[in-house]
Amino acid sequence: MRAVAVGQAELKLFWRNRTALFNSLLLPLLLAPVLYSVDADGVPLVVGLIGFALLMAVYYNLVTTFVARREELVLKRLRVGELTDPEILAGAALPSVVVALGQMVLYTVVVGVITGVSLPTRPWFLLLGVLGGIAVFVLLAAASSAFTRTVEMAQVTSLPVLMACMVGSGLIFPLSVLPEVLASVLEYLPLTPVLELLRAGWADGPVLKPLIVLAVWIVLGTYAVQRWFRWDPRR
């Protein structure tokens, strides 16, 4: 409940941030025609839009949020109170996560109506992919903020993760078009197992390896946050 209180305060700031609103609400819609031109089938379009929501609404927005609250001494003030570290981070992340989940539901419904895509036959893998993806990219955002001196620098420090996931995780084009050796390496990017689990919600496919890779990323992200996350301003 204390994390929710932090999240409510953060949500008010979120709605006042035009950049965050654009990245979360409008950018995925602008990218939808690109995804549709690559594959007009409903399932890849839904999977692609969910992937973009994780990258932009969760990861990128949270990098800027964590950095901004750190430099404004908000995190430091919250930490001297009764809130635990996980509660502070969860509360700060809550608005972006809620917005991303709302987007995912909306995209799925709209694309389903337009393309006539069927309901997922294995929705539990869809749920695992979404929840696991949120956990991974919240942790990666917190870890990335440790190496980001200012909010403006977030555009630079977040770029490697964004570009690697957009280009190398099968978000824009399938990994099957790449050489087998390269494709096998790209399967270990943080977004790749998420997309594979999302696709597994509609079609049969291997799920054990994506689950293991996703779990490893969550462990690595947790370690990185505990090891490097900064609560004090970088001045």
Side-chain angles (χ1 to χ4, degrees), residues 40-116:
D41 185 33
V43 173
L45 187 55
V46 170
V47 170
L49 288 172
I50 291 176
F52 274 114
L54 288 172
L55 289 177
M56 302 308 300
V58 178
Y59 174 71
Y60 179 75
N61 277 345
L62 283 181
V63 174
T64 61
T65 296
F66 288 138
V67 172
R69 303 300 169 261
R70 182 192 70 208
E71 297 302 310
E72 295 165 355
L73 299 177
V74 173
L75 296 181
K76 189 174 183 178
R77 288 195 295 267
L78 289 173
R79 206 181 187 203
V80 299
E82 297 181 356
L83 290 167
T84 64
D85 291 354
E87 286 177 330
I88 296 172
L89 295 178
L94 189 59
S96 294
V97 170
V98 170
V99 169
L101 288 172
Q103 283 182 295
M104 294 174 191
V105 172
L106 178 62
Y107 297 154
T108 302
V109 172
V110 172
V111 173
V113 171
I114 294 175
T115 64

Side-chain angles (χ1 to χ4, degrees), residues 3-233:
V4 173
V6 176
Q8 289 175 336
E10 189 66 42
L11 185 61
K12 295 179 181 179
L13 298 175
F14 177 85
W15 291 116
R16 298 173 185 172
N17 190 326
R18 294 181 180 179
T19 302
L21 289 175
F22 175 81
N23 290 332
S24 299
L25 304 179
L26 296 180
L27 187 58
L29 295 179
L30 296 177
L31 293 171
V34 176
L35 296 175
Y36 187 80
S37 66
V38 174
D39 195 330
D41 185 33
V43 173
L45 187 55
V46 170
V47 170
L49 288 172
I50 291 176
F52 274 114
L54 288 172
L55 289 177
M56 302 308 300
V58 178
Y59 174 71
Y60 179 75
N61 277 345
L62 283 181
V63 174
T64 61
T65 296
F66 288 138
V67 172
R69 303 300 169 261
R70 182 192 70 208
E71 297 302 310
E72 295 165 355
L73 299 177
V74 173
L75 296 181
K76 189 174 183 178
R77 288 195 295 267
L78 289 173
R79 206 181 187 203
V80 299
E82 297 181 356
L83 290 167
T84 64
D85 291 354
E87 286 177 330
I88 296 172
L89 295 178
L94 189 59
S96 294
V97 170
V98 170
V99 169
L101 288 172
Q103 283 182 295
M104 294 174 191
V105 172
L106 178 62
Y107 297 154
T108 302
V109 172
V110 172
V111 173
V113 171
I114 294 175
T115 64
V117 63
S118 61
L119 293 175
T121 55
R122 301 190 293 177
W124 48 89
F125 288 126
L126 185 66
L127 182 61
L128 282 173
V130 169
L131 296 180
I134 288 174
V136 166
F137 285 103
V138 168
L139 291 169
L140 287 179
S144 297
S145 70
F147 306 98
T148 308
R149 190 172 295 275
T150 64
V151 173
E152 292 74 17
M153 282 298 297
Q155 300 178 37
V156 178
T157 56
S158 64
L159 194 59
V161 173
L162 291 176
M163 293 304 298
C165 290
M166 286 184 183
V167 177
S169 291
L171 189 62
I172 299 178
F173 54 84
L175 296 182
S176 58
V177 304
L178 299 175
E180 184 177 352
V181 175
L182 178 58
S184 63
V185 172
L186 297 178
E187 290 177 355
Y188 295 97
L189 289 173
L191 186 62
T192 307
V194 175
L195 299 182
E196 290 179 352
L197 288 173
L198 295 178
R199 297 186 189 103
W202 278 275
D204 292 334
V207 294
L208 181 58
K209 183 177 179 180
L211 286 172
I212 293 174
V213 173
L214 194 58
V216 170
W217 272 108
I218 292 175
V219 172
L220 292 175
T222 302
Y223 171 78
V225 173
Q226 293 174 341
R227 177 69 175 82
W228 291 298
F229 187 79
R230 297 176 64 101
W231 299 90
D232 297 325

